[in-house]
Amino acid sequence: MLVPDFTPDRPVEIPPQDPSKPAWPVTLLVVVCAYLLAAWNLYGAMISVAPFFGDQPSRDDYIQGGMAALTAVVPCVLLALAGWMAGSRWGLALFCLPAGVLALFGMSMVADDGDPSDPEPTRAVQAADLFDDLTHLNWIVAGGLAVVIVGVVWTRRDSRRSPRGRLPRDDATGSALASGVGVTGPRLRG
């Protein structure tokens, strides 16, 4: 039986993703989630500035709709990162369409002036606009995805320490083996 060396100067390499395990289900899930998030945000942004019953949307409505579309780019990027970490590669190019549409639509809405009879028809965009009512879903999804990504990175980092993710332990004391067997032994033993 061959035992690899676990010296700190040579970390254990994790083998690449199993080629027999397809990445397309992850890609499909991530792309569908991104398109649903984009559709939800575009719908909310368009409804916020829709001229119902002849009502002219205010500058605040345009900014709120534009910020909803712009902040949706953050979860889309995090979804792409999660898909990349799961092994998806070229399928993530499908993210270009929803992220690009969201960014262009958001910038267009933020640049529009509101109703001329509004007290501030040309008010500037403020930092507080990033956290308006329509952006809450985007920040919740982005926070959840960030927690998942940090968890995956943390577990991958722990699994690089040894093949089972932990250093060998002495059963009697619960501490790492003092003899160093399996920790600093020769490169390969038979």
Side-chain angles (χ1 to χ4, degrees):
M1 175 166 115
L2 297 176
V3 179
D5 181 21
F6 298 110
T7 57
D9 60 332
R10 264 188 64 178
V12 175
E13 294 293 325
I14 295 178
Q17 183 180 2
D18 185 12
S20 65
K21 186 177 172 185
W24 72 264
V26 173
T27 303
L28 179 66
L29 176 70
V30 169
V31 169
V32 167
C33 286
Y35 274 96
L36 287 174
L37 184 70
W40 177 261
N41 279 289
L42 288 175
Y43 175 74
M46 289 174 23
I47 288 295
S48 72
V49 296
F52 290 116
F53 306 110
D55 188 26
Q56 185 77 7
S58 68
R59 173 75 175 145
D60 288 336
D61 294 335
Y62 279 114
I63 289 175
Q64 186 177 21
M67 284 297 163
L70 284 173
T71 57
V73 174
V74 175
C76 282
V77 169
L78 290 175
L79 275 169
L81 180 61
W84 183 271
M85 291 172 63
S88 182
R89 297 295 181 257
W90 288 106
L92 295 177
L94 296 172
F95 272 108
C96 294
L97 184 62
V101 167
L102 285 170
L104 289 174
F105 185 70
M107 288 188 293
S108 172
M109 287 185 74
V110 168
D112 285 341
D113 290 339
D115 185 7
S117 64
D118 196 33
E120 293 183 79
T122 59
R123 86 165 176 88
V125 178
Q126 301 166 356
D129 293 327
L130 288 171
F131 303 101
D132 274 339
D133 292 336
L134 289 178
T135 64
H136 291 184
L137 174 69
N138 297 332
W139 294 120
I140 290 169
V141 170
L145 285 169
V147 167
V148 167
I149 289 170
V150 166
V152 168
V153 168
W154 188 270
T155 56
R156 283 187 180 178
R157 190 190 71 123
D158 278 351
S159 68
R160 287 178 190 231
R161 296 172 94 185
S162 73
R164 296 193 183 252
R166 292 188 173 91
L167 292 173
R169 300 257 177 213
D170 184 13
D171 292 334
T173 63
S175 63
L177 290 174
S179 66
V181 175
V183 179
T184 59
R187 294 277 180 223
L188 290 175
R189 288 184 298 185

